[in-house]
Structure formats: C-alpha cells, structure tokens
Amino acid sequence: VSFGIIVIATIDWLIFEKSRLLLLPICSDVLLISIVLLFIYANYAAYGNSRQLGTLPELEMSEEMVNTTTASLCVKINNVLLMAQDMTLGNDSWIFF
C-alpha cells in the first residue's frame, strides 16, 4: 500500500511538473466538469423514464445550534483580537516573532 501511494504521488508530481499547472486549477476544473455531468444526468433522469432521483432532505438549523456556534466563534475572535492588541502594545513580542 505504501509503495502504491509513493508511486501515485510521484506520477502526480511528474504530471504537475511537466504540465506546469497548479493543483488548484486542476481541482476546480474537475469539480466543474463533475457538476456539469451531474446536472446533465439529473435532467436526463427527470425527462427520461430511467431511474428516479431521490428527494433532497430539508436542511434546517436549530436556534440552539446557531447560538452555540455564534458564541464559540465570538470567543475565538475575541481571543485573536486580544492577542493582536498584546502584540501591538509590545506586551507579547514572542507571538509577534
């Protein structure tokens, strides 16, 4: 398994090196092509009498979950701002460096 991973990683590296492309544009192209193919498949399934697509579940967020997430995010942002204030005032130069 490890040998296979090393071989695949080496082949990927050679492909990226020879094509002079970056990973992000290739990933975005692959995702765009997959979205287009899924759109075509969904339209074909809707108009043709082939296999029916399943219904999408309703996505709902509870108020408790939103409040918990917001409170957690607020604490983290306040900690970052406190660290930035300490760095600005020169109280904690170790974090600055």
Side-chain angles (χ1 to χ4, degrees):
V1 173
S2 298
F3 180 73
I5 292 172
I6 291 172
V7 168
I8 291 172
T10 304
I11 291 172
D12 288 343
W13 177 76
L14 287 173
I15 289 171
F16 287 127
E17 191 68 27
K18 294 295 181 188
S19 67
R20 302 228 185 255
L21 292 176
L22 299 175
L23 181 63
L24 186 62
I26 289 176
C27 290
S28 63
D29 289 343
V30 168
L31 288 174
L32 181 65
I33 290 170
S34 66
I35 288 172
V36 169
L37 291 176
L38 286 173
F39 177 75
I40 292 170
Y41 173 73
N43 283 333
Y44 175 74
Y47 291 122
N49 288 334
S50 65
R51 194 177 87 189
Q52 293 292 331
L53 293 176
T55 59
L56 292 175
E58 289 188 29
L59 300 175
E60 295 181 9
M61 293 177 61
S62 67
E63 187 174 345
E64 178 185 347
M65 186 171 111
V66 171
N67 289 337
T68 305
T69 305
T70 306
S72 173
L73 189 60
C74 185
V75 168
K76 290 180 183 183
I77 289 173
N78 283 337
N79 286 338
V80 168
L81 291 175
L82 184 62
M83 285 176 37
Q85 183 182 14
D86 285 345
M87 288 173 23
T88 304
L89 296 176
N91 295 339
D92 200 355
S93 58
W94 179 253
I95 294 176
F96 179 75
F97 292 113

